[in-house]
Amino acid sequence: MDHDEVANILQSTYTPTGRDKKDNSTPTRPKIDRILDVCGDRPDVDALVLLATSCDGLMNDEVRRKAWPILLGYLPSEKLEPAGFATWQHLPRHKDEDQVRLDVDRSFIYYPKSRSSLCLWLQTPAGPVTDINPDESEPQRDRRKEQLSAVITQVLRTHPMLSYFQGFHDIAQVFLLVLGLDGAAAAVSQLSLLRIRDFMLPSLEPSIAHLHLLPAILQAESPKLRHHLSQTRPFFALAATLTLYAHDIQEYSDIARLFDFFLAHGAAVSVYFFAIIILSRRQELFEIPADEPEMLHSVLSKLPKPLDLEALIAQTVSLYQRCPPENLPFRAWAKISPYSVLKTTRENYRQQTLSDGIAYFDMQVAQMRRQQMRKQWMSTLWKHRRSAGRAGLTILVGFVAIWLGRGGVDSYLAVAVRRVWEKVRVH
């Protein structure tokens, strides 16, 4: 499909609220038809990205069931998972399953109660049941929890290297509600290994690295606001970015629409979205003294209500285009691991396979171990710099530097140790 044709339909048919100009109560059909058209046998992914980003996104769950797999990089008919995926019940238990059960028991608090304007459905042995009463009974909600537990457990047992994090169930329940039991597990696997892999590593550090982009983005857009928040560490954004905002947004239609946007773009867009939320609150934030970081953290850790999602999305796209990650100050992008989803989803990521995701996972884990080894060596060397004596320490550091250089261990570690050796020799 011609992109000009897409643009013409979007501009001529929709008001800022995404409704038909002639009928403000019913979504217009042309956009839905166009989305379904680009989701055909040979999907036009570029056009689908434009449509998912535009006002009201992918419109409804029927469309999302066709579009989300494509945005994740596969066709619903494709077999992505290893042979054991379908018989996951017989695989060894994952170490985090007890926590999964605790979190699943707390799920479905907000949705599907707020899904009254959408197509509601529940997967049963006889097939999907549609048009469920939005005020579900306890047995219906319990059935959903069983399905959510099955989806998460299936993904974790099939990919046991993944570490579950609290909030993962918030993401998975949205996929379950949209795609159903049959489609959710494959999509969540794809998401876990290729889009939110950093959050499922054995350490929280790669997740924290996402947050360190926030000061750089704010500096690029509003140095005054960045300076005002300089005493407040960006941990206030962790819950929102870690869960793709599913933990904080209570309206199902809003979180589904936001997922349309996030799935259409790389992982960094979620951080830019939070930066836009901060920028939209600058007047409120400037009223709080900069030397009260606890108060600023408390305010920033709660999303404002209501959220004007369409305005925020449009502003995020504009900011991302004006200040792409590579141009951020403080060398913020250079500090990101090359194996992070922030970089591996920067371009051409829809061609990546689950095997690629596993390979990136392994490389990032290896890099994290080298970095930890480096910290331990430097700490040990510094701790014993006097008690070991100049001569003994010189020999030790020299030996370690040579061993690291020959062993192919992280070059940064070898360089760091050699610098310590030079200082010891001088003194």
Side-chain angles (χ1 to χ4, degrees), residues 369-385 393 395-401 403-404 409-410 412-414 416-418 420:
R369 288 173 177 166
R370 292 194 300 267
Q371 291 171 343
Q372 183 62 32
M373 185 187 300
R374 181 196 318 168
K375 291 179 182 178
Q376 291 174 349
W377 271 108
M378 297 304 294
S379 175
T380 300
L381 291 172
W382 183 254
K383 180 179 179 181
H384 298 288
R385 68 190 184 281
L393 184 57
I395 295 172
L396 173 63
V397 176
F399 172 78
V400 171
W403 176 75
L404 290 174
V409 181
D410 191 287
Y412 293 108
L413 177 56
V417 174
R418 289 193 185 99
V420 174

Side-chain angles (χ1 to χ4, degrees), residues 288-418:
I288 302 173
D291 59 359
E292 294 187 12
E294 294 85 1
M295 178 64 71
L296 286 167
H297 177 95
S298 177
V299 170
L300 288 167
S301 62
K302 300 178 181 64
L303 297 185
K305 297 179 181 179
L307 285 174
D308 186 350
L309 282 184
E310 299 305 335
L312 293 170
I313 288 171
Q315 292 167 26
T316 300
V317 172
S318 177
L319 177 60
Y320 193 76
Q321 292 172 343
R322 292 195 314 274
C323 308
E326 294 83 359
N327 294 348
L328 292 176
F330 310 141
R331 298 187 68 253
W333 192 244
K335 297 174 184 177
I336 299 296
S337 166
Y339 314 120
S340 167
V341 293
L342 290 169
K343 288 188 173 177
T344 61
T345 62
R346 186 69 178 97
E347 56 185 22
N348 299 323
Y349 56 90
R350 289 188 178 89
Q351 283 71 48
Q352 295 172 12
T353 65
L354 292 177
S355 296
D356 294 327
I358 293 171
Y360 282 130
F361 184 99
D362 291 340
M363 287 187 285
Q364 195 162 2
V365 168
Q367 183 186 50
M368 290 164 54
R369 288 173 177 166
R370 292 194 300 267
Q371 291 171 343
Q372 183 62 32
M373 185 187 300
R374 181 196 318 168
K375 291 179 182 178
Q376 291 174 349
W377 271 108
M378 297 304 294
S379 175
T380 300
L381 291 172
W382 183 254
K383 180 179 179 181
H384 298 288
R385 68 190 184 281
R386 290 177 181 156
S387 59
R390 285 202 306 267
L393 184 57
T394 300
I395 295 172
L396 173 63
V397 176
F399 172 78
V400 171
I402 294 171
W403 176 75
L404 290 174
R406 289 179 177 176
V409 181
D410 191 287
S411 59
Y412 293 108
L413 177 56
V415 170
V417 174
R418 289 193 185 99

